[in-house]
């Protein structure tokens, strides 16, 4: 303990060195010294133990249990209300000493709404032997209570408060200083009234911090600089009071052996001085490298790292670099983990080389939850453990494993190649992947020549992939382990993924496999758009491992007829036919399969997309001549092969005309009532359009749907003033029909015309009807669709609206169909 005095008496400078190491007798003397100084300042009206309620109207003051150098008593009940005469807005409270029975003797603070504190809110509850951290509240009136029970007593507390109306700050106030040295002050000239400033000085890895005051002059017993040691770098809790300084002190120093300190400066509402200027310096703590194997290069395939037995020490820093020869990547698994949350960390890095000159942080771990495994993407891992200067825990234990690759892994694009784990026995923890993707390959065959792996745990797995990325939509072709050489495996997509994984124990000679790309069939693996053609495996016998595909998709076809002229294969080699919903055939439906000897046969399919696949086994002792097939596309003939069907959303069945050679699609009879109605027709995706026509006729008798002749409009509807027509394309733009510009069809022979978009008012409709000789009205809306197939995501809607008029009576009908030329 040291007391600094000056010629005018005590200058209120208290310093306590190594407070956490003090014995009880030393702590008693510290309280004696502080009590003497407090009594000398005249803040305590009576040296007797506190009791009852005391009101204070001063802006600053000392509050204590009144025990002085002794201990407080049992069953004390004290209350202080601080309500400064000049109303303030902020209250600052700091403790110089605190020691009470932890369970039962408590100091409680309240913020008050009324001057008598009849309405208040509890702000803090203190007990035990931990010095509370200074606090400030945005409140004008404060209440503090002290209550003890009827048993154990202690040395009590001494606290100082300051009330402020407005707050003024110092340069750098509120800053956490982490550099090894620096300076703080109240400002360049005399400080102001109502100042409340604080600095946290916590240099990184500091073991001791010393604050040197070059000058010090404050209003005695009113304006204070108070210094605390800190137990954490952020000073969330203080360790002990290092000093509370006021008056003209000149130059002096104060030190914290915890490596961090908090400095507070407060001034009251009157009288100022020159203030203070101080600089701090720090010395680095001696790190305790007590972790086993820390600082060494670990080259074993597997191993364990930990902070050591028992709890780790403060200021510990350990580093392990894991770099096994030939490693592909390294994985770290934690079996136990307990560190001080947010303060003591295990950090894991991925490094390209053993010197870890450019590490990449993979994980920063702290707390009591066991972390998930951490895996590098490089052959070297570095693990760093560091603890701060306070609080310890049980630490961690982790085990690392090294994983190895195989030769030639990656993407293989050649038409033939080798897949193997390498010469000699394979490694434990092998993790190897090959993606075989020869450009344009119709199929890939993988043939094994040798195979010997641990049957329980080490596997070669083969997948078929839809794309070269091989990251989704994979189909399992086989998973193999043991000593039996697997049969050849074929990926019918032309893309294959092969993986090999082994565990960390038994290992054997591994495997050797060769992949090949089978020859193509003539014209296979393409879309056939001609109206007819021939499919065959080629001249002569077919080859083993062939996978040939033909997508028969002539534009505008409504059905496909297949004629199998001959087929001769050995058992296990197939010719299959599928129907599809589009040319990409995302979900093929098998409709026929042949193998062996088949005579001529015909297959008629009411579908416009047909997939034909020929596949031979990858390893054959004999082959055959194969097959020859022809196809013929059919056009028209109703709704894709149906003479009568129902379209979704239509109340009446479709009525379809016979084939005319112009790929006419569907028509529908819309029975009208006296009320307005609206219907829509959609052209299915994939329809190949050069022009699209919508034909309508109105009448009350049977519709003529068997010839090019169109039924005349009834005499009562010659003006067509009761009929409105509009067309909407999938682009969202609307076109109205019935303009008078003909597109070249002979009115007298074909008896119908098509018209470009125009106003669909009554005069326009009447003029159009006159041009057709009263035989029909056709509206053309397909100009933007010339020579283009409808996209997979598009449909083209045609909406026909009729407006009920007295002449358009209930029971009349409108026939409508869409034609794609």
């Amino acid at each position: 303990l040291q007391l600094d005095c000056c010629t005018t008496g005590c200058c209120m400078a208290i310093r306590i060195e190594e407070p956490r190491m003090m014995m009880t007798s030393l702590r008693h003397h510290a309280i004696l010294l502080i009590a003497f100084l407090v009594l000398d300042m005249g803040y305590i009206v009576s040296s007797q133990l506190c009791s009852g309620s005391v009101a204070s109207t001063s802006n600053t003051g000392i509050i204590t249990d009144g025990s002085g150098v002794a201990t407080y008593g049992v069953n004390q009940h004290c209350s202080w209300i601080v309500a400064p005469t000049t109303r303030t807005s902020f209250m600052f409270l700091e403790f110089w000493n605190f020691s009470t029975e932890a369970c039962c003797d408590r100091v409680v603070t309240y913020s008050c709404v009324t001057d008598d504190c009849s309405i208040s809110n509890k702000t803090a509850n203190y007990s035990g032997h931990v010095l509370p951290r200074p606090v400030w509240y945005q409140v004008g009136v404060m209440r503090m209570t002290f209550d003890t029970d009827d048993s154990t007593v202690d040395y009590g507390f001494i606290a100082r408060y300051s009330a402020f109306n407005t707050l003024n700050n110092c340069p750098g106030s509120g800053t956490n200083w982490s550099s090894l040295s620096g300076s703080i002050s109240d400002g360049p000239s005399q400080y102001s009234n109502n100042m409340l400033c604080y600095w946290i000085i916590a240099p990184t890895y500091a073991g001791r911090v010393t604050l040197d005051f070059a000058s010090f002059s404050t209003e005695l017993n009113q304006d204070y600089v108070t210094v605390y040691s800190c137990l954490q770098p952020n000073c969330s809790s203080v360790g002990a009071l290092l000093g509370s300084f006021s008056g003209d002190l000149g130059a002096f120093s104060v030190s914290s052996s915890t490596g961090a300190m908090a400095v507070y400066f407060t001034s009251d509402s009157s009288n100022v001085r020159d203030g203070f200027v101080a600089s701090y310096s720090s010395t680095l703590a001696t790190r305790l490298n007590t972790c086993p194997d820390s600082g060494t290069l670990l080259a074993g395939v597997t191993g364990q790292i930990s902070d050591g037995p028992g709890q780790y020490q403060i200021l510990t820093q350990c580093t392990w670099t894991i770099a096994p020869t030939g490693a592909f990547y390294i994985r770290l698994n934690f079996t136990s983990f307990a560190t001080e949350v947010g303060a003591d960390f295990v950090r894991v890095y991925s490094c390209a080389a053993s010197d870890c000159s450019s590490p990449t942080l993979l994980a920063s771990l702290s707390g009591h939850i066991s972390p998930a495994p951490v895996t590098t993407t490089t052959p070297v891992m570095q693990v760093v453990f560091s603890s701060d200067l306070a609080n310890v825990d049980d630490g961690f234990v982790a085990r690392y494993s090294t994983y190895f690759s195989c030769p030639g892994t990656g993407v293989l694009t050649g038409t033939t190649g080798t897949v193997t784990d390498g010469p000699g026995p394979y490694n434990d923890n092998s993790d190897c992947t090959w993606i075989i993707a020869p450009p344009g390959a119709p199929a890939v065959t993988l043939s094994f020549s040798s195979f010997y792996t641990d049957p329980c745990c080490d596997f070669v797995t083969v997948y078929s992939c839809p794309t070269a990325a091989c990251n989704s939509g994979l189909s399992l072709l086989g998973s193999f382990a043991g000593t039996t050489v697997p049969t050849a495996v074929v990926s019918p997509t032309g893309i294959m993924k092969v993986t090999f994984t082994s565990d960390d124990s038994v290992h054997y000679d591994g495997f050797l496999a060769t992949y090949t790309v089978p020859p193509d069939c003539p014209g296979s693996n393409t879309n056939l758009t001609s109206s007819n053609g021939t499919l065959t495996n080629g001249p002569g016998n077919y080859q083993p491992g062939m996978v040939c595909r033909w997508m028969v998709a002539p534009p505008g076809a409504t059905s496909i007829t297949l004629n199998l002229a001959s087929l001769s294969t050995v058992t296990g080699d197939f010719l299959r036919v599928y129907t599809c919903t589009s040319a990409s055939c995302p979900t093929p439906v098998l409709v026929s399969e042949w193998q062996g000897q088949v005579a001529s046969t015909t297959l008629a399919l009411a579908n416009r997309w047909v997939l034909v696949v020929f596949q031979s086994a990858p390893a054959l002792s004999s082959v055959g001549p194969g097959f020859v097939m022809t196809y013929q596309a059919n056009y028209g003939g109703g709704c894709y092969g149906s003479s009568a069907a129902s379209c979704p959303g239509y109340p009446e069945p479709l009525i379809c005309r016979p084939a005319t050679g112009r790929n006419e699609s569907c028509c529908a009879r819309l029975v009208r009532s006296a009320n307005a109605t609206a219907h829509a027709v959609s052209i299915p995706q994939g329809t190949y359009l050069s022009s699209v026509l919508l034909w309508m006729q109105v009448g009350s008798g049977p519709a003529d749907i068997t010839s090019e002749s169109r039924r005349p409009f009834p005499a009562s509807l010659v003006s067509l003033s009761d009929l409105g027509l509009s067309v909407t394309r999938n682009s969202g733009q609307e076109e109205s029909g019935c303009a008078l510009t003909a597109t070249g069809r002979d009115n007298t022979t074909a008896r119908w015309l098509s018209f470009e978009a125009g106003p669909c008012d009554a005069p326009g409709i009447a003029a159009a009807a006159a041009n057709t000789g009263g035989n029909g009205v056709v509206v053309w809306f397909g100009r933007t669709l010339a020579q283009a197939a409808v996209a997979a995501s598009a449909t083209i809607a045609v909406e026909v609206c009729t407006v009920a008029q007295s002449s358009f009576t209930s029971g009349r009908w409108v026939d409508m169909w869409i034609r794609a030329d």
Side-chain angles (χ1 to χ4, degrees):
L1 305 179
Q2 180 177 342
L3 172 64
D4 287 352
C5 293
C6 56
T7 57
T8 58
C10 181
C11 296
M12 194 56 204
I14 306 169
R15 285 197 294 278
I16 304 174
E17 298 294 338
E18 305 293 350
R20 291 194 297 173
M21 304 298 292
M22 288 196 323
M23 297 179 292
T24 302
S25 60
L26 288 179
R27 187 174 64 187
H28 176 79
H29 287 115
I31 295 169
L32 171 63
L33 175 60
I34 296 173
F36 164 74
L37 293 170
V38 171
L39 287 169
D40 183 69
M41 288 186 289
Y43 280 124
I44 299 178
V45 176
S46 172
S47 61
Q48 297 178 348
L49 297 179
C50 68
S51 63
S53 180
V54 175
S56 173
T57 59
S58 174
N59 282 37
T60 60
I62 298 292
I63 301 175
T64 177
D65 63 273
S67 60
V69 300
T71 58
Y72 58 78
V74 297
N75 296 318
Q76 276 187 251
H77 301 286
C78 314
S79 175
W80 298 264
I81 296 177
V82 179
T85 302
T86 301
R87 184 48 49 90
T88 59
S89 301
F90 300 92
M91 198 76 67
F92 175 75
L93 180 67
E94 62 181 0
F95 288 86
W96 290 351
N97 181 65
F98 196 94
S99 186
T100 70
E101 184 186 9
C103 71
C104 310
D105 301 343
R106 300 183 182 278
V107 173
V108 182
T109 59
Y110 303 83
S111 62
C112 302
V113 179
T114 58
D115 288 351
D116 61 357
C117 273
S118 58
I119 302 176
S120 62
N121 299 303
K122 183 186 294 186
T123 55
N125 189 331
Y126 306 107
S127 66
H129 299 88
V130 176
L131 189 66
R133 180 178 176 174
V135 294
W136 52 89
Y137 306 104
Q138 190 169 350
V139 63
V141 180
M142 179 185 71
R143 180 186 177 208
M144 178 184 290
T145 62
F146 177 53
D147 296 282
T148 68
D149 65 358
D150 58 0
S151 59
T152 306
V153 295
D154 215 313
Y155 289 102
F157 70 94
I158 299 173
R160 187 182 76 89
Y161 72 86
S162 298
F164 306 89
N165 188 37
T166 58
L167 293 179
N168 295 307
N169 289 322
C170 307
S173 176
T175 302
N176 282 26
W177 297 82
S178 59
S179 56
L180 294 177
S181 60
S183 61
I184 60 174
S185 74
D186 59 89
S189 58
Q190 288 191 332
Y191 56 83
S192 303
N193 291 320
N194 297 317
M195 298 201 76
L196 176 54
C197 314
Y198 76 95
W199 301 264
I200 304 298
I201 302 174
T204 304
Y205 299 138
R208 188 177 187 86
V209 177
T210 299
L211 186 63
D212 296 304
F213 288 88
S215 60
F216 192 100
S217 178
T218 66
E219 183 185 7
L220 182 63
N221 298 340
Q222 300 297 324
D223 303 340
Y224 284 89
V225 172
T226 307
V227 185
Y228 296 87
S229 65
C230 298
L231 297 182
Q232 290 86 22
N234 62 359
C235 213
S236 58
S237 59
V238 296
L241 175 69
L242 300 180
S244 188
F245 310 100
S246 179
D248 296 311
L249 300 181
F252 63 94
S253 300
V254 63
S255 296
S256 169
S257 61
T258 65
M261 64 170 56
V263 182
Y264 295 84
F265 172 54
T266 59
S267 65
D268 65 3
S269 58
S270 63
N271 301 326
V272 295
R273 298 288 189 274
D274 290 338
F276 68 93
V277 175
S279 61
Y280 75 86
S281 59
S282 56
T283 56
L284 292 176
T286 302
R287 289 277 164 174
L288 305 174
N289 291 315
T290 58
C291 307
D293 297 323
S294 173
T296 61
L297 187 69
L298 304 179
V301 173
T302 61
Q304 178 173 294
I305 61 175
S306 76
D307 60 274
Q311 291 190 327
Y312 55 82
Q313 302 180 48
I314 64 170
L315 300 174
T316 295
Q317 180 152 346
C318 307
T319 300
W320 300 265
T321 301
I322 305 168
T325 302
F328 180 35
Y329 63 86
I330 299 166
R331 179 169 295 155
L332 189 68
N333 290 277
F334 293 88
T335 56
S336 64
F337 197 94
T339 69
E340 183 187 5
V341 178
D344 302 341
F345 288 89
V346 175
R347 293 181 171 90
V348 186
Y349 300 87
S350 180
C351 305
S354 58
D355 61 357
C356 277
S357 56
S358 300
T360 299
L361 180 65
L362 301 177
S364 184
L365 311 170
S366 178
H368 297 84
I369 298 176
S370 184
V374 182
T375 304
T376 67
T377 56
T378 60
V380 179
M381 172 184 284
Q382 188 174 84
V383 183
V384 178
F385 172 58
S386 60
S387 64
D388 67 357
L389 48 79
N391 301 328
V392 295
D393 216 314
D394 291 336
F396 73 96
V397 177
R399 183 174 180 82
Y400 71 86
S401 299
T402 306
Y403 289 80
F404 297 89
S405 186
C406 304
T409 55
V411 179
L412 309 179
T413 58
T415 56
T416 185
T418 300
V419 176
T420 180
D421 61 273
Y426 53 83
N427 290 304
D428 291 335
N429 292 324
S430 289
D431 188 352
C432 313
T433 300
W434 300 262
I435 295 178
I436 304 170
V444 173
T445 300
L446 187 69
S447 303
F448 293 87
S449 56
S450 63
F451 198 94
Y452 190 7
T453 69
D454 186 1
C456 78
C457 311
D458 304 341
F459 290 89
V460 175
T461 308
V462 186
Y463 304 88
S464 175
C465 307
T467 65
C470 273
N471 53 10
S472 63
L474 279 65
S475 299
L476 179 65
L477 300 177
S479 185
F480 312 106
T483 59
T484 301
V485 177
T487 58
V489 182
V490 177
S491 170
T493 65
I495 304 171
M496 177 182 287
K497 181 177 181 178
V498 183
T499 65
F500 173 57
T501 58
S502 64
D503 65 1
D504 59 0
S505 58
V506 180
H507 52 268
Y508 294 106
D509 290 339
F511 70 97
L512 175 63
T514 302
Y515 76 86
T516 56
V517 175
D520 285 343
C521 302
S524 66
N525 303 304
T526 58
N527 284 8
L528 304 179
T529 57
S530 300
S531 59
N532 56 72
T534 300
L535 287 59
T536 181
N537 55 271
N541 292 344
Y542 59 85
Q543 302 296 316
M546 298 184 77
V547 179
C548 306
R549 300 180 187 81
W550 297 265
M551 169 55 68
V552 182
T558 56
S559 62
I560 305 293
T561 300
L562 301 178
N563 180 33
L564 180 61
S566 63
L567 182 134
S568 177
T569 69
V570 299
T571 302
D573 300 342
F574 295 91
L575 180 67
R576 295 183 174 97
V577 177
Y578 304 84
T579 58
C580 307
T581 58
S582 68
S584 62
C585 205
T587 54
V589 177
L590 180 66
V591 295
S592 190
E593 177 181 287
W594 300 285
Q595 65 173 318
Q597 308 301 312
V598 178
S600 176
T601 185
T602 298
L603 183 63
L605 300 171
N607 198 285
R608 60 185 308 187
W609 297 284
V610 175
L611 176 65
V612 180
V613 179
F614 175 65
Q615 183 171 349
S616 61
L620 294 173
S621 57
S622 63
V623 293
F627 77 100
V628 176
M629 173 183 283
T630 61
Y631 75 87
Q632 176 65 50
N634 306 307
Y635 301 88
C639 295
Y640 303 133
S642 175
S643 60
S646 295
C647 280
Y650 277 85
E652 294 291 320
L654 295 178
I655 306 171
C656 296
R657 303 175 70 250
T660 64
R662 289 196 305 274
N663 186 27
E664 190 155 293
S665 291
C666 301
C667 57
R669 170 164 292 189
L670 313 178
V671 179
R672 297 292 186 242
S673 66
N675 298 320
T677 58
H679 296 273
V681 175
S682 293
I683 300 176
Q685 66 183 39
T687 302
Y688 197 87
L689 303 174
S690 59
S691 64
V692 177
L693 301 120
L694 170 68
W695 185 90
M696 297 182 62
Q697 66 178 5
V698 181
S700 59
D704 179 4
I705 59 173
T706 61
S707 69
E708 282 295 310
S709 300
R710 298 295 187 258
R711 191 173 188 81
F713 284 101
S716 61
L717 296 177
V718 168
S719 66
L720 298 183
S721 59
D722 64 343
L723 182 61
L725 179 66
S726 66
V727 176
T728 302
R729 299 181 306 186
N730 65 316
S731 63
Q733 300 173 341
E734 183 174 289
E735 295 181 359
S736 297
C738 308
L740 304 181
T741 305
T743 60
R745 180 72 68 169
D746 186 343
N747 181 34
T748 59
T749 58
R751 309 204 38 95
W752 57 271
L753 291 174
S754 58
F755 297 92
E756 292 193 5
C760 198
D761 52 12
I765 294 174
N771 268 357
T772 62
N775 292 313
V777 176
V778 178
V779 178
W780 175 38
F781 68 99
R783 291 166 298 159
T784 61
L785 304 173
Q787 301 300 322
V790 177
S793 61
T795 57
I796 295 163
V798 181
E799 184 176 294
V800 180
C801 300
T802 61
V803 181
Q805 300 286 341
S806 58
S807 59
F808 191 30
T809 59
S810 177
R812 296 201 177 213
W813 45 260
V814 176
D815 272 348
M816 175 181 68
W817 62 82
I818 298 171
R819 192 176 82 187
D821 281 345

